[in-house]
């Protein structure tokens, strides 16, 4: 059996290790939920204090011209670098759910793609709810909800066949929230194109963890949140990418004044802005925008290729020891083993997952509290963030998972669920 202590070498050879000190940590706690809500960067705390006290407290309305009005564009510029697209192809604001609504609605107002909506069962539920809602409004054929025989992999042949048979507007999560399955983006975009379809990619579980090059992957529209691996803070504004060629053909179904060509003329007629900014709606959430800026700065500094490289080493480390030490105790891997097919979180299951999850969070007397999350029916997800998680953290988690089952400690915990799991 491999010695788990190899973590020591891996940590000392880690070129990203110094980024850990950019974040706030709690003593004796291992946070492995970066795929749900990323950690607070130290700089964000400082920046928000200055914005609150000086820009809001002192400069008040003058701050719009001094610092606030151009903030969404400034941050969009940084996201465009990360995604390798042009500055004027990204917009920041709203939530992922709202962006999906806007963009699908907007596509349906054109004749560019057949009016058939589709997704698959691996997608995050909000995406499906949004599609269903729009579908009703436009009285279309049923949403093509593609079902696979299991929850880990997409059956790519089935997916392609469905796009071919029912071409239209599809929405997929590049990395799936439950199992961390990673789709071959370029291949599917080319396929969709061939059959006059478009895939709107939800990058929420991928951005900040996967090296996504939207230019070379032939993507046309993407949306996603910035509060997971991007460490933008709870409810941080979403980002949306629309390829230049498409922008002028699309109109915002929510015609708010910030999407107007000249909002401060207070014109009674709505004239949409020329570019992607026509998808703005109302006043930007200034505090949230400032809160999300350090996250993207750190990611750019670290370099997404290095982040992905470390992420793959970490997930590999976790899977290897899971197989050796935990599978004999009834744990199963619920994420793809093949590295080109997985994102940055690892999902495992056990008959007693919920109780094990509570034991991890509570911690034992002299050990660490470990924070993963739980998704029904029995999935435990470990969101491993290369910017602040160490290999040592993973070593401790493996040992603790082993211990909780071997000692039957999980029996001390209730089977009853709480609201946010
Ligand atoms: C893939 C995906 N899409 C969308 C969302 C949620 O979007 P919103 O920011 O609108 O709540 C999540 C949340 O975890 C997600 O994982």
């Amino acid at each position: 059996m491999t010695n788990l202590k190899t973590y020591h070498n891996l940590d000392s050879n880690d070129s990203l290790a110094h980024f850990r000190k950019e974040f706030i940590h709690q003593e004796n706690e291992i946070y492995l939920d970066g795929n749900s809500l990323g950690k607070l960067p130290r700089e964000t705390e400082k920046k928000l204090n200055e914005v609150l006290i000086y820009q809001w407290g002192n400069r008040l309305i003058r701050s719009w011209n001094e610092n606030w009005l151009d903030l969404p564009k400034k941050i969009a510029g940084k996201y465009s670098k990360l995604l390798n697209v042009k500055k004027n192809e990204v917009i920041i604001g709203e939530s992922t759910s709202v962006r999906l609504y806007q963009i699908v609605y907007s596509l349906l107002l054109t004749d560019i793609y057949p009016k058939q909506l589709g997704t698959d069962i691996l997608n995050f539920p909000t995406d499906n709810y949004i599609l269903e809602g729009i579908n009703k409004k436009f009285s279309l054929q049923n949403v093509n909800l593609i079902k696979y025989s299991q929850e880990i992999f997409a059956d790519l042949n089935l997916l392609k066949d469905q796009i071919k048979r029912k071409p239209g507007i599809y929405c997929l999560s590049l990395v799936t929230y439950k199992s961390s399955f990673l789709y071959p983006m370029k291949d599917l975009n080319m396929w969709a194109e061939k059959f006059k379809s478009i895939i709107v990619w939800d990058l929420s579980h991928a951005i900040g963890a996967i090296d996504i090059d939207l230019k070379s992957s032939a993507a046309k529209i993407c949306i996603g949140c910035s509060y997971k691996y991007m460490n933008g803070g709870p409810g941080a504004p979403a980002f949306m990418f629309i390829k230049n060629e498409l922008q002028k053909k699309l109109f915002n179904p929510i015609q708010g004044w910030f999407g107007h060509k000249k909002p401060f003329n207070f014109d009674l007629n709505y004239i949409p802005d020329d570019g992607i900014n026509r998808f703005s709606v109302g006043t930007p959430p200034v505090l949230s925008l400032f809160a999300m800026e350090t996250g993207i700065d750190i990611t750019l500094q670290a370099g997404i290729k290095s982040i992905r490289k470390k992420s793959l080493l970490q997930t590999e480390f976790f899977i290897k020891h899971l197989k050796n030490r935990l599978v004999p105790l009834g744990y199963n891997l619920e994420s793809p083993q093949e590295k080109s097919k997985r994102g940055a979180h690892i999902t495992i299951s056990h008959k007693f997952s919920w109780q094990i999850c509570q034991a991890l969070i509570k911690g034992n007397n002299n050990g660490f509290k470990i924070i993963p999350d739980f998704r029904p029916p029995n999935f435990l997800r470990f969101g491993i963030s290369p910017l602040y998680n160490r290999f040592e953290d993973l070593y401790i988690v493996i040992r603790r998972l082993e211990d909780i089952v071997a000692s039957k400690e999980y029996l001390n915990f209730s089977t009853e669920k709480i609201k946010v799991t």
Side-chain angles (χ1 to χ4, degrees):
M1 189 181 293
T2 24
N3 181 2
L4 268 174
K5 293 218 173 203
T6 47
Y7 75 79
H8 195 68
N9 291 338
L10 291 163
D11 277 330
S12 42
N13 291 328
D14 172 14
S15 64
L16 298 183
H18 61 287
F19 283 99
R20 182 175 161 81
K21 66 177 184 327
E22 303 290 331
F23 295 89
I24 290 180
H25 305 284
Q26 305 306 318
E27 214 178 315
N28 291 334
E29 186 174 288
I30 296 174
Y31 189 73
L32 285 167
D33 212 1
N35 59 325
S36 240
L37 175 65
K39 280 201 159 205
L40 171 62
R42 289 184 190 283
E43 184 61 28
T44 304
E45 192 187 3
K46 275 197 231 149
K47 189 179 284 185
L48 280 186
N49 265 329
E50 122 93 19
V51 172
L52 280 174
I53 292 165
Y54 180 71
Q55 298 185 15
W56 182 12
N58 178 336
R59 299 302 292 161
L60 281 158
I61 197 74
R62 289 161 289 191
S63 287
W64 279 110
N65 282 318
E66 290 167 1
N67 293 294
W68 297 348
L69 218 47
D70 293 331
L71 189 58
K73 261 197 194 145
K74 183 177 161 208
I75 296 177
K78 295 179 182 193
Y79 268 73
S80 71
K81 250 190 216 166
L82 181 63
L83 297 168
N84 192 29
V85 292
K86 298 193 187 96
K87 265 187 187 166
N88 60 6
E89 291 181 314
V90 176
I91 185 169
I92 302 289
E94 314 303 333
S95 64
T96 308
S97 307
V98 170
R99 286 305 192 200
L100 182 62
Y101 180 86
Q102 273 183 310
I103 201 66
V104 172
Y105 198 119
S106 165
L107 285 166
L108 285 173
L109 295 177
T110 73
D111 288 322
I112 311 174
Y113 300 104
K115 293 183 178 16
Q116 166 71 60
L117 303 184
T119 184
D120 67 9
I121 54 159
L122 304 187
N123 202 353
F124 191 76
T126 198
D127 293 5
N128 192 28
Y129 304 156
I130 297 281
L131 296 183
E132 286 285 351
I134 298 180
N135 207 62
K136 263 191 225 147
K137 208 169 190 66
F138 280 78
S139 309
L140 306 173
Q141 301 269 349
N142 287 346
V143 172
N144 183 13
L145 179 62
I146 303 165
K147 298 190 172 97
Y148 311 118
S149 56
Q150 39 67 46
E151 293 190 273
I152 302 182
F153 295 91
D155 174 342
L156 296 175
N157 289 331
L158 178 63
L159 173 61
K160 284 181 167 177
D161 187 56
Q162 285 296 306
I163 294 176
K164 184 176 166 186
R165 281 167 194 263
K166 296 186 174 180
I169 302 160
Y170 281 77
C171 172
L172 298 172
S173 283
L174 181 61
V175 171
T176 63
Y177 80 105
K178 254 190 201 170
S179 71
S180 198
F181 175 73
L182 170 63
Y183 292 80
M185 196 186 204
K186 182 171 183 182
D187 180 40
L188 290 172
N189 281 335
M190 306 298 272
W191 183 268
E193 172 98 39
K194 187 168 162 195
F195 295 99
K196 313 228 169 324
S197 298
I198 186 169
I199 299 173
V200 174
W201 289 99
D202 183 336
L203 306 183
S204 297
H205 269 94
I207 189 148
I210 308 281
D211 46 337
I212 309 166
D213 184 331
L214 293 184
K215 203 164 159 191
S216 69
S217 60
K220 291 185 172 143
I221 296 178
C222 300
I223 51 170
C225 68
S226 56
Y227 46 76
K228 300 179 190 289
Y229 297 106
M230 294 304 294
N231 304 299
F239 62 90
M240 176 161 70
F241 156 77
I242 309 176
K243 205 172 159 60
N244 264 336
E245 293 87 278
L246 261 183
Q247 285 177 21
K248 283 215 161 45
K249 299 180 188 161
L250 301 176
F251 290 93
N252 186 351
I254 314 170
Q255 297 188 168
W257 69 309
F258 267 75
H260 193 282
K261 197 167 187 168
K262 296 207 163 130
F264 293 95
N265 277 1
F266 300 98
D267 196 339
L268 281 182
N269 294 323
Y270 178 81
I271 303 169
D273 204 350
D274 290 332
I276 196 164
N277 192 50
R278 60 179 54 186
F279 279 90
S280 292
V281 181
T283 309
V286 171
L287 298 180
S288 302
L289 287 163
F290 275 112
M292 76 187 278
E293 194 175 13
T294 305
I296 172 76
D297 287 343
I298 297 176
T299 303
L300 289 174
Q301 241 177 299
I304 195 64
K305 286 202 185 319
S306 308
I307 292 175
R308 173 65 169 159
K309 195 168 157 204
K310 177 172 171 187
S311 167
L312 284 173
L313 278 178
Q314 290 191 308
T315 48
E316 230 165 74
F317 177 90
F318 194 96
I319 290 173
K320 186 164 90 187
H321 296 301
L322 170 92
K323 281 203 213 150
N324 286 341
R325 307 179 78 114
L326 302 182
V327 168
L329 292 169
Y331 288 98
N332 293 305
L333 175 65
E334 305 286 358
S335 293
Q337 285 197 43
E338 209 178 307
K339 62 183 185 183
S340 63
K341 292 189 176 149
R342 69 169 187 264
H345 63 282
I346 293 294
T347 305
I348 66 175
S349 64
H350 191 279
K351 194 170 162 205
F352 300 104
S353 283
W354 172 241
Q355 285 124 298
I356 293 168
C357 183
Q358 291 172 87
L360 287 171
I361 294 170
K362 182 156 187 282
N364 57 4
N365 291 339
N366 43 15
F368 285 85
K369 290 187 169 70
I370 295 167
I371 319 287
D373 68 18
F374 173 87
R375 290 291 175 268
N378 62 347
F379 296 121
L380 272 174
R381 298 189 312 172
F382 296 91
I384 306 166
S385 174
L387 287 174
Y388 51 77
N389 285 128
R390 300 167 296 196
F391 288 88
E392 182 182 5
D393 296 340
L394 306 180
Y395 163 77
I396 294 167
V397 172
I398 296 279
R399 295 301 303 266
R400 183 78 182 110
L401 286 166
E402 195 176 15
D403 219 42
I404 291 169
V405 170
S407 67
K408 295 201 165 39
E409 186 188 328
Y410 63 86
L411 289 176
N412 301 333
F413 295 87
S414 157
T415 52
E416 211 167 293
K417 307 272 172 17
I418 51 172
K419 245 189 191 166
V420 177
T421 55

